[in-house]
Amino acid sequence: PVAQKPVAKPRMHDVQGGSRLVGPVEELSSFDLQNFRRLGRDEAEIKEELLEKFVLLADQGLPKKVAGIKAWRQSPVFKMYVDLNMRGIMDKKTITQLIEEKQVANIDCLTLSEYEMINELNRELKY
């Protein structure tokens, strides 16, 4: 008998894995601008949603809350906030000027009201 060649299975190139479930700490660390804006219709709702996440973590104990705050500070949105602060200092420009420049250049950036809301949120976050 003649040995048959094994038939090569077709490869799936366009199939992507589904999103995996993440906990609140991982979620906080992964907030990009798009996911951040999906939290609410306006800055007040977004801030309330974020504070709720920190309250839930605090209910699980101080170490969880601390982990959540550290995770938030690693998120792309928080890094945008820090970058605006650093650029303002280095370039001797106001946050408003920096945001307007990015918007004119069509670069993803926080709005002034989002920036101010994150500033308020950070003042409220305590260990």
Side-chain angles (χ1 to χ4, degrees), residues 18-99:
S19 60
R20 62 183 182 92
L21 294 174
V22 295
V25 173
E26 293 85 5
E27 181 184 20
L28 285 166
S29 70
S30 66
F31 273 121
D32 59 15
L33 207 47
Q34 187 177 21
N35 291 330
F36 174 75
R37 289 178 175 158
R38 286 183 183 153
L39 287 174
R41 292 176 296 213
D42 59 23
E43 288 75 21
E45 277 188 17
I46 294 170
K47 181 180 172 187
E48 199 58 41
E49 282 293 318
L50 286 168
L51 285 173
E52 178 77 16
K53 291 179 186 306
F54 291 110
V55 168
L56 291 172
L57 287 170
D59 289 346
Q60 297 174 25
L62 184 61
K64 276 283 195 186
K65 182 179 179 184
V66 170
I69 292 171
K70 285 182 179 179
W72 163 245
R73 291 182 178 158
Q74 297 302 312
S75 72
V77 165
F78 187 83
K79 288 179 180 180
M80 278 184 183
Y81 167 82
V82 171
D83 184 57
L84 283 170
N85 287 318
M86 294 301 295
R87 288 265 150 238
I89 293 167
M90 290 170 48
D91 297 349
K92 295 183 174 78
K93 293 183 179 179
T94 66
I95 299 302
T96 305
Q97 289 173 316
L98 293 171
I99 289 172

Coordinates of all heavy atoms in Angstrom, one line a residue, residues 18-99:
G18 N -10.9 35.7 21.9 CA -11.8 36.6 22.5 C -11.2 37.3 23.7 O -10.1 37.0 24.1
S19 N -11.9 38.3 24.2 CA -11.3 39.0 25.3 C -11.4 38.2 26.5 O -12.4 37.4 26.7 CB -12.1 40.3 25.5 OG -13.4 40.1 25.7
R20 N -10.4 38.2 27.3 CA -10.3 37.4 28.5 C -10.9 38.2 29.7 O -10.8 39.5 29.7 CB -8.9 36.9 28.8 CG -7.9 38.0 29.1 CD -6.5 37.4 29.3 NE -5.6 38.4 29.6 CZ -5.3 38.8 30.8 NH1 -5.8 38.2 31.9 NH2 -4.4 39.8 31.0
L21 N -11.4 37.6 30.7 CA -11.9 38.3 31.8 C -10.8 38.8 32.7 O -9.7 38.1 32.8 CB -12.7 37.3 32.7 CG -14.0 36.8 32.0 CD1 -14.7 35.8 32.9 CD2 -15.0 38.0 31.8
V22 N -10.9 40.0 33.1 CA -9.9 40.6 34.0 C -10.6 41.1 35.3 O -11.7 41.5 35.3 CB -9.2 41.8 33.3 CG1 -8.4 41.3 32.1 CG2 -10.1 42.9 32.9
G23 N -9.8 41.2 36.3 CA -10.3 41.7 37.6 C -10.2 43.2 37.6 O -9.7 43.8 36.7
P24 N -10.7 43.8 38.7 CA -10.7 45.2 38.8 C -9.3 45.9 38.7 O -9.1 46.9 38.2 CB -11.4 45.5 40.1 CG -11.5 44.3 40.8 CD -11.3 43.1 39.8
V25 N -8.3 45.2 39.3 CA -7.0 45.8 39.3 C -6.4 45.8 37.9 O -5.9 46.8 37.4 CB -6.1 45.0 40.3 CG1 -4.6 45.5 40.2 CG2 -6.5 45.1 41.7
E26 N -6.6 44.7 37.2 CA -6.1 44.6 35.8 C -6.8 45.6 34.9 O -6.3 46.2 34.0 CB -6.2 43.2 35.3 CG -5.4 42.2 35.9 CD -6.0 41.6 37.2 OE1 -7.1 41.9 37.5 OE2 -5.2 40.8 37.9
E27 N -8.1 45.7 35.2 CA -8.9 46.7 34.4 C -8.4 48.1 34.6 O -8.3 48.8 33.6 CB -10.4 46.6 34.8 CG -11.3 47.5 34.0 CD -12.7 47.5 34.5 OE1 -13.0 47.1 35.7 OE2 -13.6 47.9 33.7
L28 N -8.1 48.5 35.8 CA -7.6 49.8 36.1 C -6.3 50.1 35.4 O -6.1 51.2 34.9 CB -7.5 50.0 37.6 CG -8.8 50.2 38.4 CD1 -8.5 50.1 39.9 CD2 -9.4 51.6 38.1
S29 N -5.5 49.1 35.3 CA -4.1 49.3 34.7 C -4.2 49.3 33.2 O -3.3 49.8 32.5 CB -3.2 48.1 35.1 OG -3.6 46.9 34.5
S30 N -5.3 48.9 32.6 CA -5.4 48.8 31.1 C -6.3 49.9 30.5 O -6.5 49.9 29.3 CB -5.9 47.4 30.7 OG -7.3 47.3 31.2
F31 N -6.8 50.9 31.3 CA -7.6 51.9 30.7 C -6.9 52.7 29.7 O -6.0 53.5 30.0 CB -8.2 52.8 31.8 CG -9.5 52.3 32.4 CD1 -9.5 52.1 33.8 CD2 -10.6 52.0 31.6 CE1 -10.7 51.6 34.3 CE2 -11.7 51.5 32.2 CZ -11.8 51.3 33.6
D32 N -7.3 52.6 28.4 CA -6.9 53.5 27.4 C -7.9 54.5 27.2 O -9.0 54.5 27.9 CB -6.5 52.8 26.1 CG -7.7 52.0 25.5 OD1 -8.9 52.2 25.9 OD2 -7.5 51.2 24.6
L33 N -7.7 55.5 26.4 CA -8.7 56.6 26.2 C -10.1 56.1 25.8 O -11.1 56.6 26.3 CB -8.1 57.6 25.2 CG -8.5 59.0 25.3 CD1 -8.4 59.6 26.7 CD2 -7.7 59.9 24.3
Q34 N -10.1 55.1 24.9 CA -11.4 54.6 24.4 C -12.2 54.0 25.6 O -13.4 54.3 25.8 CB -11.1 53.6 23.3 CG -12.4 53.2 22.6 CD -12.1 52.2 21.5 OE1 -11.0 51.6 21.4 NE2 -13.0 52.1 20.5
N35 N -11.6 53.1 26.3 CA -12.2 52.4 27.4 C -12.6 53.3 28.5 O -13.6 53.2 29.2 CB -11.4 51.2 27.9 CG -11.3 50.1 26.9 OD1 -12.2 49.9 26.1 ND2 -10.2 49.4 27.0
F36 N -11.7 54.3 28.8 CA -11.9 55.3 29.8 C -13.2 56.1 29.5 O -14.1 56.3 30.3 CB -10.7 56.2 29.8 CG -10.8 57.4 30.7 CD1 -10.7 57.3 32.1 CD2 -11.0 58.7 30.2 CE1 -10.8 58.4 32.9 CE2 -11.0 59.8 31.0 CZ -10.9 59.7 32.4
R37 N -13.4 56.5 28.2 CA -14.5 57.3 27.8 C -15.8 56.5 27.8 O -16.9 57.0 27.9 CB -14.3 57.9 26.5 CG -13.3 59.0 26.6 CD -13.0 59.7 25.2 NE -12.0 60.8 25.4 CZ -11.3 61.3 24.5 NH1 -11.3 60.7 23.3 NH2 -10.5 62.3 24.7
R38 N -15.7 55.2 27.7 CA -16.9 54.3 27.8 C -17.5 54.2 29.2 O -18.6 53.6 29.3 CB -16.5 52.9 27.2 CG -16.4 52.9 25.7 CD -16.1 51.4 25.3 NE -15.8 51.4 23.9 CZ -15.1 50.5 23.3 NH1 -14.5 49.5 24.0 NH2 -14.9 50.5 22.0
L39 N -16.8 54.6 30.2 CA -17.2 54.5 31.5 C -18.5 55.3 31.8 O -19.2 55.0 32.8 CB -16.1 54.8 32.5 CG -15.0 53.8 32.7 CD1 -13.9 54.4 33.6 CD2 -15.5 52.5 33.2
G40 N -18.6 56.4 31.1 CA -19.8 57.3 31.4 C -20.0 58.2 30.2 O -19.2 58.4 29.3
R41 N -21.2 58.9 30.4 CA -21.5 59.9 29.3 C -20.8 61.2 29.5 O -20.6 62.0 28.5 CB -23.0 60.2 29.4 CG -23.9 59.1 29.0 CD -25.3 59.4 29.1 NE -25.5 59.6 30.6 CZ -26.6 59.4 31.2 NH1 -27.7 58.9 30.6 NH2 -26.8 59.6 32.5
D42 N -20.3 61.5 30.7 CA -19.5 62.7 30.9 C -18.5 62.5 32.0 O -18.4 61.4 32.6 CB -20.5 63.9 31.3 CG -21.3 63.6 32.6 OD1 -20.9 62.8 33.4 OD2 -22.3 64.2 32.7
E43 N -17.7 63.5 32.3 CA -16.6 63.3 33.2 C -17.1 62.9 34.6 O -16.5 62.2 35.3 CB -15.7 64.6 33.3 CG -14.9 64.8 32.1 CD -15.7 65.3 30.9 OE1 -16.8 65.8 31.0 OE2 -15.2 65.1 29.7
A44 N -18.2 63.5 35.0 CA -18.8 63.2 36.4 C -19.1 61.7 36.5 O -18.8 61.1 37.5 CB -20.0 64.1 36.7
E45 N -19.7 61.2 35.5 CA -20.1 59.7 35.5 C -18.8 58.9 35.4 O -18.7 57.8 36.1 CB -20.9 59.4 34.3 CG -22.4 59.6 34.5 CD -23.3 59.1 33.4 OE1 -22.8 58.2 32.6 OE2 -24.4 59.6 33.3
I46 N -17.8 59.3 34.6 CA -16.6 58.5 34.6 C -15.9 58.5 35.9 O -15.4 57.5 36.4 CB -15.6 59.1 33.5 CG1 -16.3 58.9 32.1 CG2 -14.3 58.5 33.5 CD1 -15.6 59.7 31.0
K47 N -15.8 59.7 36.6 CA -15.2 59.8 37.9 C -15.9 58.9 38.9 O -15.3 58.2 39.7 CB -15.2 61.2 38.3 CG -14.5 61.4 39.7 CD -14.6 62.9 40.1 CE -14.1 63.1 41.5 NZ -14.3 64.5 41.9
E48 N -17.3 58.9 38.8 CA -18.1 58.1 39.8 C -17.8 56.6 39.6 O -17.6 55.9 40.5 CB -19.5 58.4 39.6 CG -20.4 58.0 40.7 CD -20.0 58.7 42.0 OE1 -19.7 59.9 42.1 OE2 -20.0 57.9 43.1
E49 N -17.7 56.2 38.3 CA -17.4 54.8 38.0 C -16.0 54.4 38.5 O -15.9 53.3 39.1 CB -17.5 54.5 36.5 CG -18.9 54.4 35.9 CD -19.6 53.2 36.4 OE1 -19.0 52.1 36.5 OE2 -20.8 53.3 36.8
L50 N -15.1 55.2 38.3 CA -13.7 54.9 38.8 C -13.7 54.9 40.3 O -13.1 54.0 40.9 CB -12.7 56.0 38.3 CG -12.3 55.9 36.8 CD1 -11.6 57.1 36.4 CD2 -11.5 54.6 36.5
L51 N -14.3 55.9 41.0 CA -14.3 55.8 42.4 C -15.0 54.6 43.0 O -14.6 54.0 44.0 CB -15.0 57.1 43.0 CG -14.2 58.4 42.9 CD1 -15.1 59.6 43.3 CD2 -13.0 58.3 43.8
E52 N -16.1 54.1 42.3 CA -16.8 52.9 42.7 C -15.8 51.7 42.6 O -15.9 50.9 43.5 CB -18.0 52.7 41.7 CG -18.7 51.4 42.0 CD -19.7 51.6 43.2 OE1 -20.0 52.7 43.6 OE2 -20.1 50.5 43.7
K53 N -15.0 51.7 41.6 CA -14.0 50.6 41.5 C -13.0 50.6 42.7 O -12.7 49.5 43.2 CB -13.2 50.6 40.2 CG -14.1 50.3 39.0 CD -13.4 50.4 37.7 CE -14.3 50.3 36.5 NZ -15.1 49.1 36.5
F54 N -12.6 51.8 43.1 CA -11.7 51.9 44.2 C -12.4 51.5 45.5 O -11.8 50.9 46.4 CB -11.1 53.3 44.3 CG -10.1 53.5 43.2 CD1 -10.4 54.4 42.2 CD2 -8.9 52.8 43.2 CE1 -9.5 54.7 41.2 CE2 -8.0 53.1 42.1 CZ -8.3 54.0 41.1
V55 N -13.7 51.9 45.7 CA -14.5 51.5 46.9 C -14.6 50.0 46.9 O -14.4 49.4 48.0 CB -15.9 52.2 46.9 CG1 -16.8 51.6 47.9 CG2 -15.7 53.7 47.1
L56 N -14.9 49.3 45.8 CA -15.0 47.9 45.8 C -13.7 47.2 46.2 O -13.7 46.2 46.9 CB -15.5 47.4 44.4 CG -16.9 47.8 44.0 CD1 -17.2 47.4 42.6 CD2 -17.9 47.1 44.9
L57 N -12.6 47.8 45.7 CA -11.3 47.2 46.1 C -11.0 47.4 47.6 O -10.5 46.5 48.3 CB -10.2 47.8 45.3 CG -10.2 47.4 43.8 CD1 -9.2 48.2 43.0 CD2 -9.8 45.9 43.7
A58 N -11.4 48.6 48.1 CA -11.2 48.9 49.5 C -12.0 48.0 50.4 O -11.5 47.6 51.5 CB -11.6 50.4 49.8
D59 N -13.2 47.6 49.9 CA -14.0 46.6 50.7 C -13.3 45.3 50.8 O -13.6 44.5 51.7 CB -15.4 46.4 50.0 CG -16.3 47.6 50.2 OD1 -16.0 48.5 51.0 OD2 -17.3 47.7 49.4
Q60 N -12.4 45.0 49.9 CA -11.7 43.7 49.9 C -10.4 43.8 50.8 O -9.7 42.9 50.9 CB -11.3 43.3 48.5 CG -12.5 43.0 47.7 CD -12.1 42.7 46.2 OE1 -11.0 42.2 45.9 NE2 -13.0 42.9 45.3
G61 N -10.1 45.0 51.3 CA -9.0 45.2 52.1 C -8.0 46.3 51.6 O -8.0 46.6 50.4
L62 N -7.2 46.9 52.4 CA -6.3 47.9 52.1 C -5.3 47.5 51.0 O -5.0 48.2 50.1 CB -5.6 48.5 53.3 CG -4.6 49.6 53.0 CD1 -5.4 50.8 52.5 CD2 -3.9 50.0 54.3
P63 N -4.7 46.2 51.1 CA -3.8 45.8 50.0 C -4.4 45.8 48.6 O -3.8 46.2 47.7 CB -3.4 44.4 50.4 CG -3.6 44.4 51.9 CD -4.8 45.3 52.2
K64 N -5.7 45.5 48.5 CA -6.4 45.5 47.2 C -6.5 46.9 46.7 O -6.3 47.2 45.5 CB -7.7 44.8 47.3 CG -7.7 43.3 47.2 CD -7.5 43.0 45.7 CE -7.8 41.5 45.6 NZ -7.5 41.0 44.2
K65 N -6.9 47.8 47.6 CA -7.1 49.2 47.2 C -5.7 49.8 46.8 O -5.7 50.5 45.8 CB -7.6 50.1 48.4 CG -7.9 51.5 48.0 CD -8.5 52.3 49.1 CE -8.7 53.8 48.7 NZ -9.1 54.6 49.8
V66 N -4.7 49.5 47.5 CA -3.3 50.0 47.2 C -3.0 49.5 45.8 O -2.4 50.2 44.9 CB -2.3 49.6 48.2 CG1 -0.9 49.9 47.8 CG2 -2.6 50.4 49.5
A67 N -3.2 48.2 45.5 CA -2.9 47.6 44.2 C -3.7 48.3 43.1 O -3.2 48.5 42.0 CB -3.2 46.1 44.3
G68 N -5.0 48.6 43.4 CA -5.8 49.3 42.5 C -5.3 50.7 42.1 O -5.2 51.1 40.9
I69 N -4.8 51.4 43.1 CA -4.3 52.8 42.9 C -3.0 52.7 42.1 O -2.8 53.4 41.1 CB -4.1 53.5 44.2 CG1 -5.4 53.8 44.9 CG2 -3.3 54.8 44.0 CD1 -5.3 54.4 46.3
K70 N -2.1 51.7 42.4 CA -0.9 51.5 41.7 C -1.2 51.1 40.2 O -0.5 51.6 39.3 CB 0.0 50.5 42.3 CG 0.6 50.9 43.6 CD 1.5 49.9 44.2 CE 2.2 50.4 45.4 NZ 3.1 49.4 46.1
A71 N -2.2 50.3 40.0 CA -2.6 49.9 38.7 C -3.1 51.1 37.9 O -2.8 51.2 36.7 CB -3.7 48.8 38.8
W72 N -3.9 51.9 38.5 CA -4.5 53.1 37.8 C -3.3 54.0 37.4 O -3.3 54.5 36.3 CB -5.4 53.8 38.8 CG -5.7 55.3 38.4 CD1 -5.3 56.4 39.1 CD2 -6.4 55.7 37.3 NE1 -5.8 57.5 38.5 CE2 -6.4 57.1 37.3 CE3 -7.0 55.1 36.2 CZ2 -7.1 57.9 36.4 CZ3 -7.7 55.9 35.3 CH2 -7.7 57.2 35.3
R73 N -2.3 54.1 38.2 CA -1.1 54.9 37.8 C -0.3 54.3 36.7 O 0.6 55.0 36.2 CB -0.3 55.2 39.1 CG -1.1 56.1 40.0 CD -0.3 56.5 41.2 NE -1.1 57.4 42.0 CZ -1.0 57.6 43.3 NH1 0.0 57.0 44.0 NH2 -1.8 58.5 44.0
Q74 N -0.5 53.1 36.3 CA 0.2 52.5 35.2 C -0.7 52.5 33.9 O -0.2 52.1 32.9 CB 0.5 51.0 35.6 CG 1.4 50.8 36.7 CD 2.8 51.5 36.5 OE1 3.4 51.4 35.5 NE2 3.2 52.3 37.5
S75 N -1.9 53.0 34.0 CA -2.8 52.9 32.9 C -2.4 54.0 31.8 O -1.8 55.0 32.1 CB -4.2 53.2 33.3 OG -4.4 54.6 33.6
P76 N -2.7 53.7 30.5 CA -2.4 54.6 29.5 C -3.0 56.0 29.7 O -2.4 57.0 29.4 CB -2.9 54.0 28.2 CG -2.8 52.5 28.5 CD -3.2 52.4 30.0
V77 N -4.2 56.0 30.2 CA -4.9 57.3 30.5 C -4.1 58.1 31.5 O -3.9 59.3 31.4 CB -6.3 57.1 30.9 CG1 -6.9 58.4 31.5 CG2 -7.2 56.7 29.7
F78 N -3.7 57.5 32.6 CA -3.0 58.2 33.7 C -1.6 58.7 33.1 O -1.2 59.8 33.4 CB -2.8 57.3 34.9 CG -2.2 58.1 36.0 CD1 -3.0 58.9 36.9 CD2 -0.8 58.1 36.3 CE1 -2.4 59.6 37.9 CE2 -0.2 58.8 37.3 CZ -1.1 59.5 38.2
K79 N -1.0 57.9 32.3 CA 0.3 58.3 31.7 C 0.1 59.5 30.8 O 1.0 60.3 30.7 CB 0.9 57.1 31.0 CG 1.4 56.0 31.9 CD 2.0 54.9 31.2 CE 2.6 53.9 32.3 NZ 3.2 52.7 31.7
M80 N -1.0 59.6 30.1 CA -1.3 60.8 29.3 C -1.4 62.0 30.2 O -0.9 63.1 29.8 CB -2.7 60.6 28.5 CG -2.6 59.9 27.3 SD -4.3 59.9 26.5 CE -4.0 58.9 25.1
Y81 N -2.1 61.8 31.3 CA -2.2 62.9 32.3 C -0.8 63.4 32.8 O -0.5 64.6 32.8 CB -3.1 62.4 33.4 CG -3.1 63.3 34.6 CD1 -3.9 64.4 34.7 CD2 -2.3 63.0 35.7 CE1 -3.9 65.2 35.8 CE2 -2.3 63.7 36.9 CZ -3.1 64.9 36.9 OH -3.2 65.6 38.1
V82 N 0.0 62.4 33.1 CA 1.3 62.8 33.6 C 2.2 63.4 32.5 O 2.9 64.4 32.7 CB 2.1 61.5 34.2 CG1 3.5 61.8 34.5 CG2 1.3 61.0 35.4
D83 N 2.0 62.9 31.3 CA 2.8 63.4 30.2 C 2.4 64.9 29.9 O 3.3 65.7 29.6 CB 2.5 62.6 28.9 CG 3.4 63.1 27.7 OD1 4.6 63.1 27.9 OD2 2.8 63.4 26.7
L84 N 1.1 65.2 30.0 CA 0.7 66.6 29.9 C 1.3 67.5 30.9 O 1.8 68.6 30.6 CB -0.8 66.7 29.9 CG -1.6 66.3 28.7 CD1 -3.1 66.2 29.0 CD2 -1.4 67.2 27.5
N85 N 1.4 67.0 32.1 CA 2.0 67.8 33.2 C 3.5 68.0 32.9 O 4.0 69.1 33.1 CB 1.8 67.1 34.6 CG 0.4 67.1 35.1 OD1 -0.2 68.2 35.0 ND2 -0.1 66.1 35.6
M86 N 4.2 66.9 32.5 CA 5.6 67.0 32.3 C 5.9 68.0 31.1 O 6.8 68.8 31.1 CB 6.2 65.7 32.0 CG 6.2 64.7 33.2 SD 7.1 65.4 34.6 CE 8.7 65.4 34.0
R87 N 5.1 67.8 30.0 CA 5.3 68.7 28.8 C 5.0 70.1 29.2 O 5.7 71.0 28.7 CB 4.3 68.3 27.7 CG 4.6 67.0 27.1 CD 5.5 67.2 25.8 NE 6.3 66.1 25.6 CZ 7.6 66.1 25.6 NH1 8.3 67.2 25.6 NH2 8.3 65.0 25.5
G88 N 4.0 70.4 30.0 CA 3.7 71.7 30.4 C 4.9 72.4 31.1 O 5.2 73.5 30.9
I89 N 5.5 71.6 32.0 CA 6.7 72.1 32.7 C 7.9 72.3 31.8 O 8.5 73.4 31.8 CB 7.1 71.2 33.9 CG1 5.9 71.2 34.9 CG2 8.4 71.5 34.5 CD1 6.0 70.1 36.0
M90 N 8.1 71.3 31.0 CA 9.3 71.4 30.1 C 9.2 72.4 29.0 O 10.1 73.1 28.7 CB 9.6 70.0 29.5 CG 10.1 69.0 30.5 SD 10.1 67.2 29.9 CE 10.9 67.4 28.4
D91 N 8.0 72.5 28.4 CA 7.8 73.5 27.3 C 7.3 74.8 27.8 O 7.0 75.7 27.0 CB 6.8 72.9 26.3 CG 7.3 71.6 25.7 OD1 8.4 71.2 25.8 OD2 6.4 70.9 25.0
K92 N 7.1 75.0 29.1 CA 6.6 76.2 29.7 C 5.3 76.6 29.0 O 5.1 77.8 28.6 CB 7.6 77.3 29.6 CG 8.8 77.0 30.4 CD 9.8 78.2 30.4 CE 11.0 78.0 31.3 NZ 12.0 77.1 30.9
K93 N 4.3 75.7 28.9 CA 3.0 75.9 28.3 C 1.9 75.5 29.3 O 2.2 74.7 30.1 CB 2.9 75.1 27.0 CG 3.8 75.6 25.9 CD 3.5 74.8 24.6 CE 4.5 75.3 23.5 NZ 4.2 74.5 22.3
T94 N 0.8 76.0 29.1 CA -0.4 75.6 29.9 C -0.9 74.3 29.4 O -0.7 73.9 28.2 CB -1.5 76.7 29.8 OG1 -2.1 76.7 28.5 CG2 -1.0 78.0 30.3
I95 N -1.6 73.6 30.2 CA -2.3 72.3 29.8 C -3.2 72.6 28.7 O -3.3 71.8 27.7 CB -3.0 71.7 31.0 CG1 -2.0 71.4 32.2 CG2 -3.8 70.5 30.6 CD1 -0.9 70.5 31.8
T96 N -3.9 73.7 28.7 CA -4.9 74.1 27.7 C -4.2 74.2 26.3 O -4.6 73.7 25.3 CB -5.6 75.4 28.0 OG1 -6.2 75.3 29.3 CG2 -6.7 75.7 27.0
Q97 N -3.0 74.9 26.3 CA -2.2 75.0 25.1 C -1.8 73.6 24.6 O -1.9 73.4 23.3 CB -1.0 75.9 25.3 CG -1.3 77.3 25.6 CD 0.0 78.1 26.0 OE1 0.8 77.6 26.8 NE2 0.2 79.3 25.4
L98 N -1.3 72.8 25.4 CA -0.8 71.5 25.0 C -2.0 70.6 24.4 O -1.8 70.0 23.4 CB -0.2 70.7 26.2 CG 1.1 71.3 26.7 CD1 1.5 70.7 28.0 CD2 2.2 71.2 25.7
I99 N -3.1 70.7 25.1 CA -4.3 69.9 24.6 C -4.7 70.4 23.3 O -5.0 69.6 22.3 CB -5.4 69.9 25.7 CG1 -5.0 69.1 26.9 CG2 -6.7 69.4 25.0 CD1 -6.0 69.2 28.0

